[in-house]
Amino acid sequence: MGSPHDVVIIGSGFGGIGMAIRLRQNGYRDVVVLEKAGGLGGTWRDNTYPGAACDVPSHLYSFSFDRKTDWTRRFPPQNEILDYLRDTAREHGVLPWIRFGTEVTEARFDEDAGLWRISTTRGELAARVVVSACGQLNRPVPPPIPGRGSFQGTAFHSARWDHGADLAGKRVAVIGTGASAIQIIPEIAREAGRLTVFQRSAPYVIDKPDRAYRGWEKALLRSVPGTWELSRARIYSLYESRALGFIKYPRLMEMLSRRFRQQLEEQVPDPEMRRKLTPDYPMGCKRILISSDYYPALAEPHVELVTDPIEEIVPAGVRTRDGREFQADVLVYATGFATSGFLAPMKVTGRGGRDLDEAWRGGAEAHLGITVSGFPNLFLLYGPYTNLGHNSIIYMLESQFRYVLGCLRAMLEAGLDWIDVRPDVQDAFGREMQERLRGTVWASGCDSWYMNADGKVVNNWPGFTFAYRRATRRPDPRHFVARRAAAASGTTTW
């Protein structure tokens, strides 16, 4: 197994790459990044479907410590984001730390040694600290529809796009109308001979104010000090203000709701189709989507929107509950991801043989979304209660980087083997989150990927992002039990 590493990071998306860079900038050199795939990038590596792009402006959807002034568009496309991550990893010297094709199957905490024993598909290793940067959108979920295996055409999930599939002139069926689908459907509509879109629940879609950056704008950002920071601050303030509608005053969503209704009225002339495309739940309860070409694509004569529930998938296509059969040559599942497992399918065992799946049976819990009681020196990035509905997740990740670094620094200064957040501290944080979430639009009565199977919202942060940054400014020693390096057994405080 060899000598234990200082830090092992699981995953090489924005969280894993950013954490590795911040560790390197703070003097750490014995760091390993384990990546199950053959390349870095996380969701931006996996989602290569036509039209894939970010719904947060590029100047905000990037690291504050690695500015990019030559984005081609206000909302960056998938390939450009992936290139940015690759360039950032290379320029900051963390690319050699990544072990590709290495999937973690199990992580066990060895309490006597104060180490994590990590099993992978390519052997075992040990670490003093484990940082999970698996993300929330990495496990595609095909729909549980009977007959999926019987389809005789080409079928695939949007996150596993089959680039060998020829869509030109073909009959294509898309199941799902979420964030990926509204980007895919306009692109497919330009190629397919016939496109059938199966909608279970209508999303709120507002216009996407996207455009290419002009040459003079890039030159200004590159050469005039402070312009990049000003652009980023302006975008951040605009998006942060939207939190009021999500978490405090749901009535403020009415302004966005008017924008939605106006766009729907302008782009969909058929009143019956407008009725089908009008959601039956409060705006913001599910993810608000942005697109300026989704509704025009649905209004095309060769595109059909189907809202009758799907009964089964048959060899020739899709049959709905009313008995109609829609023939298809290609079937695309734009049906989202398993989002509430966080570390799944890894088996994680903490102090006293505690199993993480068992600990999270009632829903994932972690203090500040980062530390889990009973699992010392394990830190989560983009864990429970840290997703957003209004701003950039990169801002939240950078807050978590700082908190993890603060914990590592404090452990070194105090001579600690490990720290473990107290169960009462974690429980108090979870109760606070649930109390605050009760008044948000996410808990207003719809089903969404923000919830676990029991209908409990476990993904979203019910506050401003600057409040989260303040809460994670530095670790509080009173929140943890620890073991000093000199102690043979037992726990102590910092």
Side-chain angles (χ1 to χ4, degrees), residues 157-359:
H157 193 278
S158 60
R160 301 292 183 266
W161 195 267
D162 183 353
H163 290 277
D166 180 15
L167 307 184
K170 299 293 179 62
R171 299 167 300 179
V172 182
V174 176
I175 296 178
T177 53
S180 298
I182 69 155
Q183 295 181 335
I184 293 168
I185 287 165
E187 299 296 324
I188 294 180
R190 296 184 179 100
E191 286 190 71
R194 180 152 192 85
L195 174 60
T196 309
V197 177
F198 293 90
Q199 172 186 281
R200 185 173 62 176
S201 176
Y204 281 98
V205 183
I206 58 176
D207 61 292
K208 184 177 185 178
D210 191 21
R211 66 173 178 82
Y213 280 116
R214 301 174 180 90
W216 67 265
E217 291 175 302
K218 298 180 195 176
L220 190 70
L221 288 164
R222 182 176 61 251
S223 58
V224 179
T227 53
W228 183 87
E229 290 85 354
L230 185 62
S231 174
R232 184 179 172 94
R234 182 185 64 81
I235 297 168
Y236 171 81
S237 300
L238 174 64
Y239 276 67
E240 189 72 351
S241 67
R242 297 177 180 179
L244 288 168
F246 284 97
I247 63 177
K248 193 76 173 174
Y249 305 109
R251 289 184 180 179
L252 292 178
M253 300 301 292
E254 180 55 32
M255 183 170 63
L256 278 179
S257 185
R258 283 198 299 270
R259 187 170 151 192
F260 156 74
R261 290 194 296 269
Q262 180 181 358
Q263 176 170 291
L264 185 62
E265 184 80 24
E266 291 173 351
Q267 295 183 344
V268 180
D270 178 30
E272 176 59 19
M273 180 173 281
R274 286 202 303 271
R275 183 189 66 77
K276 291 180 178 180
L277 291 170
T278 301
D280 59 359
Y281 54 86
M283 190 171 200
C285 187
K286 298 185 181 185
R287 185 175 175 180
I288 298 174
L289 310 180
I290 59 172
S291 173
S292 297
D293 53 5
Y294 175 63
Y295 289 144
L298 292 180
E300 290 287 334
H302 69 295
V303 178
E304 182 176 2
L305 177 68
V306 178
T307 57
D308 291 313
I310 295 175
E311 181 74 21
E312 64 177 328
I313 293 172
V314 295
V318 180
R319 180 181 295 134
T320 52
R321 194 172 296 170
D322 61 0
R324 288 188 297 165
E325 188 171 305
F326 299 85
Q327 294 190 337
D329 304 304
V330 180
L331 187 53
V332 179
Y333 300 123
T335 47
F337 303 84
T339 60
S340 59
F342 296 98
L343 276 76
M346 288 182 283
K347 178 176 175 58
V348 182
T349 308
R351 291 173 62 191
R354 190 179 191 198
D355 180 75
L356 185 62
D357 286 340
E358 182 62 31

Side-chain angles (χ1 to χ4, degrees), residues 362-386:
E365 296 289 345
H367 180 56
L368 296 171
I370 302 173
T371 56
V372 184
S373 183
F375 299 84
N377 289 8
L378 172 66
F379 301 96
L380 312 184
L381 302 179
Y382 198 16
Y385 303 119
T386 64

Side-chain angles (χ1 to χ4, degrees), residues 49-62:
Y49 56 78
C54 192
D55 58 3
V56 174
S58 50
H59 292 170
L60 192 56
Y61 198 82
S62 50

Side-chain angles (χ1 to χ4, degrees), residues 96-155:
W97 291 358
I98 307 175
R99 298 184 185 179
F100 294 112
T102 307
E103 182 174 4
V104 175
T105 56
E106 185 176 2
R108 308 172 306 282
F109 186 67
D110 183 339
E111 197 165 350
D112 292 334
L115 299 172
W116 280 97
R117 310 289 184 185
I118 304 165
S119 300
T120 79
T121 52
R122 298 182 64 179
E124 297 195 351
L125 65 162
R128 295 181 177 87
V129 171
V130 172
V131 179
S132 171
C134 302
Q136 296 184 16
L137 305 175
N138 66 87
R139 290 182 294 134
V141 177
I145 300 172
R148 276 198 299 113
S150 70
F151 183 62
Q152 294 181 351
T154 301

